[in-house]
Amino acid sequence: QEPAAPGAGSVKQQISNLVALSLRATVPEVDVEPIVEVCTGKFGDYQCNNAMGLWSKVKGSGTSFKNPNAIGQAIAKNLPACDVIESASVAGPGFVNIVLSKSWVAKRIQDMLVNGIKTWAPILPVKRVVLDFSSPNIAKEMHVGHLRSTIIGDTLARMFEFSNVEVLRCNHVGDWGTQFGMLIEFLFEKFPNWEELGSQAIGDLQVFYKASKQRFDEDAEFKDRAQQAVVRLQGGEEKYRAAWKKICEISRNEFDQVYKLLDVQLEEKGESFYNPYIPQVLEKLSSQGLIEESEGARVIFIQGHQIPLIVVKRDGGFNYASTDLAALWYRLNVEKAEWIIYVTDVGQQQHFDMFFKAARMAGWLPDPKEKKFPKTSHVGFGLVLGADGKRFRTRSTEVVRLGDLLDEAKSRSKSELLQRLTENGKIVDWTDEELEQTSKAVGYGAVKYADLKNNRLTNYTFSFDQMLSDKGNTAVYLQYAHARICSIIRKSNMDVEELKVSGNISLAHPDERVLGLYLIRYAEIVEEACTNLLPSVLCEYLYNLSEMFTRFYTNCQVVGSPEEPSRLLLCEATAVVMRQCFQLLGITPVYKL
Ligand code: ARG
């Protein structure tokens, strides 16, 4: 890997670079990676934990060091002189506590204010990522699980993009498979003039799907025709292709409405896209001796799994797994992705585990222990539960209409906003347009944030009351916090834009220093969220940041104080970082609430 430019990358990365130099000077005979963490105690800001491990490597080899603490002392002493570190001390068995220089922290914040938050992008060891997310199935319901996948996947994509990683946002829609036989036959039967019809005329696709399924289950003759239709579709017969296209188009229009509401970009590459690649991919695997015959099906036996991975069904048809193998092959060889990430519910974990292993058996991917690229990851998530603790459903229908859900969040936040503004007599300051935009930002943001803030593997209960509360760890609370900072800045008579260039940040008060240090951790937080594929890490940071700001604001007077210029810049920096967090979470920040 190329050495990064000085000053680039997260603070943790920069400290690690300095520690690496010190390690080389301290124990030239040993090659180790720096172990740098945020300090857990109060004697430093960051800590280096290499001494103890190094001790076990060098003791007994005639080293002049007496104990791990002595190695720690040497690491501290050998840190290169620079403007980043103010001091370093050693605690306990050899923890090296590093204190950052206040003026360096201040300068880093000021540089960001002048040159933009993009200068705080972390440097990730990957250049191109395929992110497979959302991926609903055509003509079946797009359920809350797909909403979760869409929200989590979009945030991951935004975080990687911010970190200068190229992201292919892939919508692996289920647009192929045997269900199309019955859908096509039903279309022919119900709408003989289907070719001239616009997508509206066919109406709700889910209703259509249910009705055709019922027909399929009840009428043997229809079932027969449907099965014929699959064959004719797969054989490429024109009329059947056209009908398939029509059904996909209607579905696509419905999905696109949701993506538009959520402001999510996706490129559709459905299962059908990979279909032509399946035979050659299976041929390769077969020639490697990986595919065997089992009970009439063609399968791959995988260590640690009782049942094999079926890649050709008994009827000769391909399935979900064969499609995923072909898609992975394509992503690795044609799209040249280094990291391929799949966002689905945890229920599919076994499927991913199995076909990832199959790919490793084929030599497509290195052993994960080697920590090398290319690699694959399954980003699993838990269920969305209703107030009754069961799978989330809305009152009227069995399914949850995503559009309705977002609408309700918006209208609830609008009525609360209206009520509050009316009570405060502030309603006159707001235009209808502002009201509308704000309630949308707050409402939609609340739905997204409620989904993102928990560790994605845990189930969460969907509750409008909870997510729209202005107390606790909610998007509404955070929107308020941000808007309040904006109002502080508006209230001041000073011009922040001018201050950015001419002013100076000082971190004299302890709460200023704490806030400043937390602000500059932004890059390493994004880095961690990307590395571990955990959007909740960013949510936690955003929430903590707003808490730290509150402490600062309670203890440090801003407007009207002698420190106003510096403190105003801290307010601005906090607002900028908060907005960037919102942006990565797909939430529109509001400036006035
Ligand atoms: N369509 C699938 C579902 O709704 C999700 C697809 C995920 N992506 C993949 N490459 N398998 O469950």
Side-chain angles (χ1 to χ4, degrees):
Q1 220 177 311
E2 273 176 55
S10 64
V11 173
K12 193 166 161 183
Q13 184 62 54
Q14 293 186 50
I15 308 283
S16 300
N17 294 345
L18 294 169
V19 166
L21 292 174
S22 167
L23 290 172
R24 213 171 298 163
T26 309
V27 278
E29 68 277 24
V30 199
D31 191 22
V32 281
E33 289 287 308
I35 308 171
V36 172
E37 302 291 345
V38 169
C39 215
T40 45
K42 50 177 186 266
F43 300 109
D45 303 320
Y46 286 81
Q47 64 188 51
C48 159
N49 300 344
N50 281 93
M52 290 69 73
L54 274 174
W55 171 246
S56 48
K57 284 205 174 135
V58 299
K59 72 175 165 198
S61 68
T63 175
S64 57
F65 292 115
K66 294 263 176 325
N67 51 38
N69 182 284
I71 300 184
Q73 300 288 352
I75 295 175
K77 196 179 118 255
N78 290 329
L79 282 167
C82 60
D83 56 357
V84 183
I85 296 175
E86 171 142 329
S87 64
S89 59
V90 181
F95 297 104
V96 181
N97 289 317
I98 295 170
V99 177
L100 299 193
S101 127
K102 258 192 261 190
S103 57
W104 183 77
V105 176
K107 184 172 176 299
R108 190 167 167 85
I109 298 171
Q110 216 155 344
D111 283 351
M112 181 279 284
L113 284 175
V114 174
N115 300 314
I117 188 88
K118 263 305 250 184
T119 55
W120 279 6
I123 299 170
L124 299 182
V126 54
K127 292 201 178 62
R128 196 199 274 258
V129 163
V130 161
L131 201 57
D132 176 322
F133 69 105
S134 191
S135 310
N137 300 315
I138 297 234
K140 289 196 200 155
E141 54 168 326
M142 183 174 185
H143 52 71
V144 263
H146 295 121
L147 178 67
R148 285 209 83 178
S149 176
T150 309
I151 292 174
I152 296 171
D154 180 53
T155 297
L156 291 174
R158 287 167 185 261
M159 295 193 304
F160 279 112
E161 283 154 357
F162 173 76
S163 311
N164 301 307
V165 176
E166 189 189 347
V167 180
L168 309 182
R169 296 160 161 258
C170 283
N171 199 1
H172 192 86
V173 295
D175 64 353
W176 201 243
T178 45
Q179 84 264 29
F180 278 94
M182 91 192 172
L183 292 170
I184 291 171
E185 276 311 320
F186 197 65
L187 181 73
F188 292 164
E189 198 173 273
K190 280 288 280 217
F191 301 98
N193 60 336
W194 60 274
E195 273 159 303
E196 293 117 59
L197 290 179
S199 51
Q200 266 72 28
I202 291 168
D204 189 308
L205 256 195
Q206 286 174 35
V207 176
F208 183 83
Y209 178 84
K210 283 219 173 97
S212 67
K213 177 89 172 76
Q214 193 178 357
R215 186 92 174 80
F216 182 87
D217 290 336
E218 284 168 2
D219 186 333
E221 187 266 335
F222 178 85
K223 187 170 174 175
D224 215 49
R225 258 191 293 146
Q227 280 158 350
Q228 289 296 313
V230 180
V231 180
R232 299 172 81 162
L233 171 65
Q234 300 193 335
E237 220 172 289
E238 190 104 24
K239 179 175 163 198
Y240 288 78
R241 281 301 280 199
W244 168 76
K245 267 206 180 123
K246 181 122 217 155
I247 295 167
C248 291
E249 196 183 288
I250 303 167
S251 230
R252 188 172 304 125
N253 288 339
E254 286 180 9
F255 299 154
D256 282 348
Q257 281 174 24
V258 177
Y259 298 141
K260 210 169 146 198
L261 286 178
L262 292 172
D263 187 24
V264 170
Q265 306 288 328
L266 267 158
E267 199 187 313
E268 183 178 320
K269 261 206 199 106
E271 294 180 6
S272 64
F273 176 87
Y274 303 102
N275 204 51
Y277 296 93
I278 298 177
Q280 64 201 68
V281 168
L282 293 186
E283 187 46 49
K284 275 197 216 25
L285 297 174
S286 200
S287 69
Q288 291 176 283
L290 293 175
I291 299 182
E292 294 169 49
E293 194 87 17
S294 172
E295 295 174 32
R298 313 234 300 141
V299 307
I300 303 179
F301 281 97
I302 289 159
Q303 226 186 10
H305 288 272
Q306 299 268 303
I307 38 160
L309 184 71
I310 299 176
V311 292
V312 184
K313 294 184 291 184
R314 246 191 284 186
D315 66 6
F318 301 135
N319 62 4
Y320 194 45
S322 35
T323 307
D324 258 330
L325 279 169
L328 178 57
W329 179 87
Y330 185 87
R331 290 164 181 181
L332 287 168
N333 296 287
V334 181
E335 295 180 324
K336 308 262 183 237
E338 292 156 296
W339 195 358
I340 300 125
I341 300 165
Y342 302 81
V343 189
T344 78
D345 62 288
V346 279
Q348 296 197 34
Q349 192 180 327
Q350 166 154 321
H351 162 75
F352 286 103
D353 194 38
M354 285 178 87
F355 95 84
F356 291 171
K357 281 192 178 139
R360 263 176 236 134
M361 285 160 68
W364 298 359
L365 300 169
D367 188 319
K369 278 194 222 93
E370 290 181 48
K371 296 198 169 25
K372 274 200 211 136
F373 292 107
K375 71 173 179 181
T376 51
S377 298
H378 175 225
V379 172
F381 53 79
L383 296 174
V384 184
L385 306 174
D388 56 2
K390 297 204 191 104
R391 233 174 230 272
F392 184 56
R393 307 226 183 266
T394 42
R395 289 146 295 186
S396 48
T397 46
E398 260 183 88
V399 295
V400 178
R401 306 220 163 260
L402 303 184
D404 295 352
L405 208 114
L406 293 168
D407 264 357
E408 181 157 355
K410 180 176 109 184
S411 63
R412 282 189 187 222
S413 76
K414 189 166 187 173
S415 56
E416 260 170 55
L417 182 59
L418 276 172
Q419 194 189 340
R420 204 176 45 82
L421 292 174
T422 313
E423 277 167 15
N424 300 342
K426 283 194 180 157
I427 189 84
V428 285
D429 303 339
W430 287 66
T431 66
D432 285 351
E433 174 71 12
E434 268 179 322
L435 272 172
E436 181 69 13
Q437 293 303 331
T438 304
S439 14
K440 201 165 139 186
V442 172
Y444 292 6
V447 174
K448 288 189 179 181
Y449 191 79
D451 198 308
L452 294 168
K453 75 168 179 181
N454 302 305
N455 180 306
R456 55 180 161 74
L457 288 165
T458 50
N459 297 343
Y460 81 95
T461 305
F462 192 97
S463 152
F464 281 119
D465 289 339
Q466 238 168 54
M467 66 178 72
L468 291 169
S469 161
D470 55 7
K471 287 174 200 70
N473 188 0
T474 67
V476 183
Y477 165 80
L478 293 164
Q479 293 273 23
Y480 270 111
H482 171 257
R484 193 169 55 137
I485 303 176
C486 295
S487 112
I488 297 167
I489 297 169
R490 277 195 301 267
K491 261 191 224 128
S492 164
N493 289 325
M494 300 190 161
D495 180 350
V496 203
E497 290 311 312
E498 214 177 281
L499 278 179
K500 282 183 190 174
V501 203
S502 63
N504 245 319
I505 295 179
S506 126
L507 302 171
H509 191 285
D511 290 322
E512 290 176 323
R513 188 174 191 281
V514 168
L515 177 63
L517 263 174
Y518 205 63
L519 283 170
I520 62 165
R521 286 192 56 200
Y522 177 72
E524 69 205 38
I525 295 295
V526 177
E527 183 172 14
E528 186 192 335
C530 286
T531 309
N532 299 324
L533 305 169
L534 286 177
S536 54
V537 167
L538 188 66
C539 296
E540 196 184 304
Y541 172 80
L542 175 56
Y543 181 69
N544 289 342
L545 179 60
S546 78
E547 296 275 281
M548 265 170 221
F549 180 83
T550 305
R551 200 163 320 137
F552 152 77
Y553 191 62
T554 312
N555 298 329
C556 302
Q557 188 192 345
V558 178
V559 178
S561 74
E563 295 91 347
E564 181 166 347
S566 161
R567 290 185 175 166
L568 213 54
L569 286 176
L570 271 181
C571 290
E572 173 71 6
T574 308
V576 169
V577 172
M578 286 188 82
R579 281 200 285 279
Q580 189 57 37
C581 290
F582 282 131
Q583 153 73 28
L584 296 190
L585 297 171
I587 300 173
T588 311
V590 301
Y591 290 74
K592 137 176 170 193
L593 247 184

